[in-house]
């Protein structure tokens, strides 16, 4: 198939990964859609002009290697990699079992490493490209769930580390840190009205994010418009971590100077 190359997207069957695949296809790239839910990846592929779906667990290097090789044979060298497959276990440190901790780190950090290991040599041989890793505001600030926060902090650090390592191969690497976004990951928590309202109240732009809000940031970093950008993180959170949230005391603070005392 004659395409401009291929984009490998993990977690492409749902939410942010799926939206990234849709956006990236607009640039003429064929898509390799990897997801543990192969059926969901197939459904996403059916909506794209040039795409192949792979039911793959990103923690299994053999499965990933086979999928990446097959995609490169079909569509040409990967020009873009988006690491998005992720899970969350909503437990505090002491509530988390060693197995739960390992699984979150395994999918959200080691899974990214496995994709990087498989894609980078092909991308370098094809003349370079752009990698975008989905991190999280949880990698910047405490979020309540230790294993998830630790994994996302790892993604931010790994991304910075790799910028220098990959530059010689013509590969840029950046991350995007979403705030709270409607997706499969938090469908359960956002269906709770108190959590929903608190999220909106703590987001200066006044709404929960949509997967395409993140996909557009990813598409920018993947594009030549970001040709001088590598080793950095783009926070796309509606302003959530840009400010201290004072709650009802905020109005008091704001009007304090007008009061006589
Ligand atoms: N939704 C948010 O509010 C939010 C905020 C910050 C960061 N993120 C990150 O965005 C990324 C995408 O998540 P989402 O919010 O779109 O959730 P989602 O649940 O809608 O999508 C995640 C996808 O990853 C797949 N997946 C899970 N484990 C996998 C594995 N081992 N191998 C292959 N595929 C696997 C799932 O099948 C699913 O299709 C994740 O890295 C997540 O941590 C999400």
């Amino acid at each position: 198939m004659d395409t401009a190359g291929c984009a490998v997207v993990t977690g492409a069957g749902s939410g942010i990964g799926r939206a990234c695949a849709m956006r990236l296809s607009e640039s003429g790239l064929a898509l390799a859609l990897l997801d543990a839910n192969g059926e969901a990846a197939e459904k996403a592929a059916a909506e794209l002009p040039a795409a192949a779906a792979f039911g793959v667990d990103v923690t299994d290097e053999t499965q990933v290697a086979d999928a990446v090789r097959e995609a490169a044979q079909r569509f040409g060298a990967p020009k873009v990699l988006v690491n998005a497959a992720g899970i969350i276990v909503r437990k505090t440190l002491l509530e988390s079992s060693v197995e739960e901790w390992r699984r979150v780190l395994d999918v959200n950090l080691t899974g990214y490493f496995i994709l990087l290991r498989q894609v980078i040599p092909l991308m370098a041989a094809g003349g370079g490209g752009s990698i975008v890793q989905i991190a999280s505001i949880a990698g910047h600030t405490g979020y309540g769930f230790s294993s998830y926060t630790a994994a996302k902090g790892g993604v931010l650090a790994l991304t910075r580390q790799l910028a220098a390592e990959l530059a010689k191969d013509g590969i840029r690497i950046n991350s995007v840190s979403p705030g709270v976004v409607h997706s499969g990951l938090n469908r359960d928590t956002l269906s709770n009205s108190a959590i929903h309202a608190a999220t909106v109240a703590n987001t200066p732009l006044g709404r929960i994010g949509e997967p395409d809000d993140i996909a557009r940031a990813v598409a920018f970093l993947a594009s030549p418009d970001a040709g001088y950008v590598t080793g950095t993180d783009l926070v796309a959170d509606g302003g959530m971590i840009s400010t201290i949230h004072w709650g009802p005391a905020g109005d008091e603070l704001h009007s304090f100077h007008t009061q006589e005392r």
Side-chain angles (χ1 to χ4, degrees):
M1 183 174 291
D2 186 23
T3 66
C6 103
V8 177
V9 180
T10 72
S14 176
I16 291 169
R18 190 178 189 285
C20 289
M22 300 297 154
R23 277 280 162 198
L24 290 169
S25 81
E26 290 174 4
S27 59
L29 292 165
L31 269 297
L33 309 179
L34 278 60
D35 201 294
N37 184 341
E39 209 175 303
E42 292 281 358
K43 275 191 191 158
E47 290 184 33
L48 294 168
F54 301 90
V56 160
D57 184 332
V58 294
T59 66
D60 184 323
E61 187 165 26
T62 306
Q63 288 183 19
V64 170
D66 289 349
V68 169
R69 194 183 323 106
E70 193 185 319
Q73 279 165 359
R74 256 178 96 172
F75 301 124
K79 293 287 177 204
V80 172
L81 165 64
V82 179
N83 262 324
I87 57 169
I88 191 166
V89 173
R90 290 194 185 83
K91 292 189 175 175
T92 64
L93 185 86
L94 293 182
E95 287 165 353
S96 304
S97 68
V98 173
E99 290 71 29
E100 287 166 334
W101 174 274
R102 286 206 172 114
R103 186 63 187 162
V104 172
L105 270 288
D106 213 16
V107 175
N108 294 359
L109 186 55
T110 308
Y112 283 27
F113 162 73
I114 287 174
L115 262 294
L116 292 165
R117 244 175 80 76
Q118 292 303 322
V119 169
I120 287 167
L122 298 173
M123 192 178 266
S130 176
I131 298 170
V132 186
Q133 316 232 76
I134 304 300
S136 170
I137 55 170
H140 291 264
T141 183
Y143 186 62
F145 316 116
S146 297
S147 54
Y148 188 77
T149 301
K152 293 302 187 180
V155 170
L156 292 175
L158 178 64
T159 304
R160 280 194 297 271
Q161 164 63 31
L162 290 179
E165 199 171 313
L166 303 183
K168 66 178 185 330
D169 293 318
I171 299 174
R172 295 182 297 103
I173 181 164
N174 296 286
S175 56
V176 171
S177 285
V180 180
V181 175
H182 284 124
S183 76
L185 197 79
N186 53 23
R187 193 167 292 130
D188 52 352
T189 49
L190 288 178
S191 66
N192 174 300
S193 57
I195 294 173
H196 191 282
T199 306
V200 172
N202 286 322
T203 304
L205 289 183
R207 66 174 175 87
I208 290 176
E210 298 301 328
D212 192 53
D213 289 319
I214 309 308
R216 281 181 284 140
V218 168
F220 162 67
L221 288 172
S223 78
D225 286 345
Y228 199 54
V229 182
T230 194
T232 196
D233 181 66
L234 176 51
V235 176
D237 70 343
M240 188 178 241
I241 63 165
S242 68
T243 188
I244 295 170
H245 302 284
W246 295 98
D251 289 344
E252 296 297 320
L253 274 173
H254 201 66
S255 58
F256 207 59
H257 65 285
T258 63
Q259 293 168 13
E260 285 189 22
R261 66 199 82 250

